[in-house]
Amino acid sequence: KFYISMHGLTGTKKVIQITDEDIRAIRDEDLPIYTLLVPLFHEEEMLPHILSNISKVDYPHDKLDVKILMEEEDEETLGKARKLGLFGNIEEVISPMTLPEYRKFLSIFHPVVVPNAELKTKPRACNYGLKRARGEFVVIYDAEDLPDRDQLKKVYLAFRRLGKEYACVQCMLNFYNSRKNALTRWFSIEYSYYYDYYIQGL
């Protein structure tokens, strides 16, 4: 790991820079359908947050295909999804949306219930979502993620620059509350090392 990290420190950085001008030049009609996989397991409290965060992403909603992946036995998360209207009747609306806005927004979400099995993993849940994906591009978000507003458009442009031999783009990741306490500072340092040096070295 030390050798790989040193290579990441001294080698050529393989980071694609996307400017605000690049983003503004994109026409919505040129954008492809994008599938967002959101695996959840006993994260009912985080469900409203990830829905709200996805609502702030700058991408045409009619080209978003969001799969909310929940385990069959996870009654808490399934119950919260029902209250939020993912299965039909709406009992709770995510602030600050009005009910009509929220109804329209819900059309991009598709709940996927992963059948019960002894082995429960995030990759298994994502496989169920991937089989149902409509998008040309796919991204995986964790329940606590706060995506950059332009992230999907940046990745779209990155793939256009890279060419068809590339299948994956890894976005930079870090904690948004890095200065909250010692623990979040340590996590932030670890993430910075991992994305700035280790992955670069690989």
Side-chain angles (χ1 to χ4, degrees):
K1 284 188 174 181
F2 179 75
Y3 170 78
I4 291 171
S5 300
M6 288 304 297
H7 188 69
L9 175 65
T10 58
T12 303
K13 296 282 186 183
K14 293 180 174 62
V15 177
I16 297 173
Q17 301 293 338
I18 307 290
T19 67
D20 291 341
E21 289 73 23
D22 294 332
I23 297 292
R24 285 194 289 269
I26 298 174
R27 300 187 310 165
D28 283 356
E29 55 266 32
D30 294 334
L31 291 169
I33 294 175
Y34 222 121
T35 294
L36 284 61
L37 301 180
V38 185
L40 301 165
F41 189 49
H42 296 303
E43 294 179 289
E44 65 275 9
E45 295 302 320
M46 296 305 298
L47 180 54
H49 297 285
I50 189 62
L51 296 186
S52 176
N53 291 343
I54 288 172
S55 76
K56 297 167 187 164
V57 171
D58 180 23
Y59 204 86
H61 280 186
D62 63 333
K63 293 191 174 183
L64 287 179
D65 169 42
V66 186
K67 308 296 187 194
I68 305 297
L69 312 173
M70 298 165 284
E71 296 286 343
E72 184 179 26
E73 72 163 38
D74 186 3
E75 277 302 323
E76 296 86 0
T77 306
L78 287 169
K80 189 67 172 178
R82 289 187 191 97
K83 287 182 179 177
L84 290 169
L86 293 180
F87 291 96
N89 295 331
I90 301 171
E91 296 178 34
E92 295 180 23
V93 176
I94 294 174
S95 178
M97 293 187 202
T98 64
L99 184 57
E101 289 173 334
Y102 187 61
R103 282 188 200 280
K104 186 177 178 184
F105 172 62
L106 277 181
S107 66
I108 69 173
F109 291 97
H110 310 281
V112 176
V113 180
V114 181
N116 200 13
E118 187 175 345
L119 185 66
K120 296 175 181 64
T121 65
K122 188 179 295 185
R124 177 176 177 265
C126 287
N127 281 340
Y128 273 86
L130 194 58
K131 284 180 178 291
R132 293 153 180 82
R134 296 190 301 110
E136 180 182 342
F137 293 92
V138 177
V139 63
I140 300 171
Y141 286 142
D142 285 329
E144 67 276 7
D145 282 351
L146 179 62
D148 181 76
R149 179 171 162 78
D150 297 323
Q151 186 183 69
L152 301 184
K153 289 183 178 180
K154 287 176 180 175
V155 172
Y156 162 72
L157 288 176
F159 272 117
R160 285 182 58 184
R161 292 183 187 178
L162 287 168
K164 291 188 176 181
E165 67 270 24
Y166 284 85
C168 180
V169 168
Q170 172 64 59
C171 294
M172 304 295 275
L173 189 64
N174 213 322
F175 277 68
Y176 50 81
N177 61 343
S178 59
R179 297 184 180 276
K180 185 174 182 180
N181 55 44
L183 187 62
T184 61
R185 287 172 188 261
W186 291 335
F187 270 122
S188 186
I189 290 170
E190 181 182 21
Y191 269 57
S192 294
Y193 151 74
Y194 187 74
Y195 287 95
D196 291 344
Y197 303 114
Y198 188 70
I199 284 186
Q200 295 294 329
L202 288 175

